[in-house]
Amino acid sequence: LKSRKNVQLKKYNSLGVEALAAKMLFIQSEKDLLGIEELINPDRLFILGEGTNTLFSKDFEGSIVKVEIRGLEYKNVDENRCLATIGAGENWHQFVTDSLDKGLQGLENLSLIPGSVGAAPIQNIGAYGVEVSELIDFVEGYNLVDGRFEKFNRADCGFRYRSSMFKEQRRDQFIISRVGFSLNRNWSDLEASYKSLSTYLDQNGIKNPSPLQLSKAVVQIRKSKLPDPNKIGNAGSFFKNPVVNLKKFEELKKRFPGIPGFETEPGKVKLFAAWLIEQSGWKGKDLGKVGVHQDQALVLVNKGGAKGIEIYELSQKLKADIRKNFDILLEEEVRIL
Ligand code: FAD
Ligand code: EPU
């Protein structure tokens, strides 16, 4: 098991902030996990993938367990389904691309989401009308509380919008080592109803897109509004989109007639945090080293040399303003340490 002390985390987080980790353990196989609970203090532990949804607001005094388990296997289940089993340390978008190249359907809408495979179930990554939980067959990993491997079927993972039991009850206690995905060998209806996606397809004259065409469309749309973390530090959406009850939505509509929202279940309306932030005058705000992205108001950026704490402080100002203007409490999507 590889480990290092006093590690600079700048290259391990897509916001590109500096912070030191007292200790870092690099997990390259399931074997490295056995007995790991004896090497770490479970109260001061953080499990890290590629750091694209993590904000280090200060130095980390404990151990960081970086998951680098590799490997990808496909196994046909029947004439319609294929089970892909993949190591948590593989890169998400490379997996998406590989599965599409093999003619498998399912992951196309989730193209170009940064990060590792092992982090995908944590917040149930989603984009363009699809959530990863729809494709997951199982999640396997190491339970730090009782030192053993466990395997969960999709139904037992507690998946919800941007959440799962791994993010809630089992936070920092379960190291995901491998994930199984159930993919389609044949396909008919793809999910292309998300507004910006259907508009893009219409404008480009694409009628019945193939999974590969859909993936390419998603990549183009994402590139047009989300900053590339290799060029400008960011962690994607900083907050989740808030869900309010219908009564609250009707009240807001009286005050803000143009407010967008859609019913996710009877009586519940999902609003767009980016809209709330933009209406509050923050979109494109340049505050020196930190700012709010000019093409997507939900993305906070490190324009170079910002400290984690400065990004955190900006996020709290936004949150206070949204509370004041709309009486809505935004919830962070990014994991803040
Ligand atoms: P990390 O930041 O390393 O970790 C995130 C969380 O997962 C932490 O709590 C960590 O402890 C936990 N974790 C990581 N690996 C493991 C493991 N093996 N076992 C247990 N816990 C683990 N997200 C979306 O849902 N949809 C999007 O469209 C989207 N777009 C983005 C665009 C940009 C430009 C960026 C920078 C981010 C975007 N994100 C999006 C967020 C991010 O891509 C996802 O959250 C991704 O899954 C994070 O992967 P990671 O490996 O970098 O996770
Ligand atoms: N909008 C604004 N101002 C902006 C941006 C958006 O008013 O600057 C409004 C518009 O009304 C627009 C709507 O918000 O129609 C939706 O915008 P967009 O399609 O960009 O999506 P989002 O709701 O801001 C969510 C996810 C993204 C995901 C996209 C596409 C959350 C928190 N974010 O963003 O995920 O890629 O949808 O499905 O749910 C992430 O989680 O890190 C992430 C980037």
Side-chain angles (χ1 to χ4, degrees), residues 78-98:
D78 57 35
E79 61 197 37
N80 295 317
R81 321 283 301 164
C82 176
L83 179 71
T85 301
I86 175 163
E90 295 281 354
N91 175 265
W92 176 259
H93 180 64
Q94 276 172 20
F95 170 45
V96 172
T97 312
D98 191 81

Side-chain angles (χ1 to χ4, degrees), residues 164-264:
S164 71
M165 75 164 176
F166 309 111
K167 187 168 173 174
E168 307 289 334
Q169 304 93 304
R170 291 181 178 248
R171 165 183 286 222
D172 303 333
Q173 294 175 0
F174 189 74
I175 304 178
I176 294 176
S177 54
R178 247 166 246 281
V179 186
F181 294 87
S182 177
L183 305 175
N184 296 316
R185 300 176 64 194
N186 306 303
W187 48 272
S188 48
D189 1 303
L190 304 182
E191 175 52 61
S193 63
Y194 193 85
K195 196 165 149 232
S196 51
L197 183 54
S198 62
T199 308
Y200 180 94
L201 294 171
D202 282 349
Q203 283 171 352
N204 288 276
I206 303 171
K207 287 241 157 24
N208 291 304
S210 67
L212 215 51
Q213 281 176 311
L214 210 60
S215 167
K216 285 195 174 131
V218 166
V219 167
Q220 287 311 317
I221 298 167
R222 295 184 68 97
K223 282 187 171 163
S224 73
K225 59 183 168 193
L226 292 167
D228 175 355
N230 292 317
K231 298 191 182 121
I232 179 155
N234 78 93
S237 301
F238 201 90
F239 299 99
K240 294 184 193 178
N241 282 331
V243 178
V244 299
N245 62 38
L246 201 55
K247 183 162 165 274
K248 169 84 186 172
F249 184 57
E250 297 301 339
E251 281 165 25
L252 285 167
K253 261 211 303 219
K254 280 185 204 134
R255 282 171 57 213
F256 310 95
I259 188 168
F262 63 97
E263 224 168 315
T264 49

Side-chain angles (χ1 to χ4, degrees), residues 36 134 241 296 310 323 336:
I36 194 177
E134 297 164 41
N241 282 331
Q296 228 298 351
E310 296 174 275
R323 184 162 212 181
I336 299 166

Side-chain angles (χ1 to χ4, degrees), residues 7-21 24 45-61 63-66 235 238 306-312 334-337:
V7 184
Q8 173 53 251
L9 294 169
K10 189 171 177 186
K11 71 166 183 185
Y12 294 112
N13 74 94
S14 65
L15 275 160
V17 301
E18 290 188 359
L20 286 179
M24 202 153 160
L45 161 79
F46 180 65
I47 306 162
L48 182 68
E50 294 184 22
T52 67
N53 209 28
T54 299
L55 169 60
F56 293 106
S57 71
K58 54 181 185 227
D59 289 343
F60 190 73
E61 302 296 340
S63 310
I64 291 192
V65 174
K66 175 143 171 61
F238 201 90
K307 292 197 174 75
I309 191 74
E310 296 174 275
I311 296 183
Y312 176 72
V334 170
R335 178 76 194 272
I336 299 166
L337 294 167

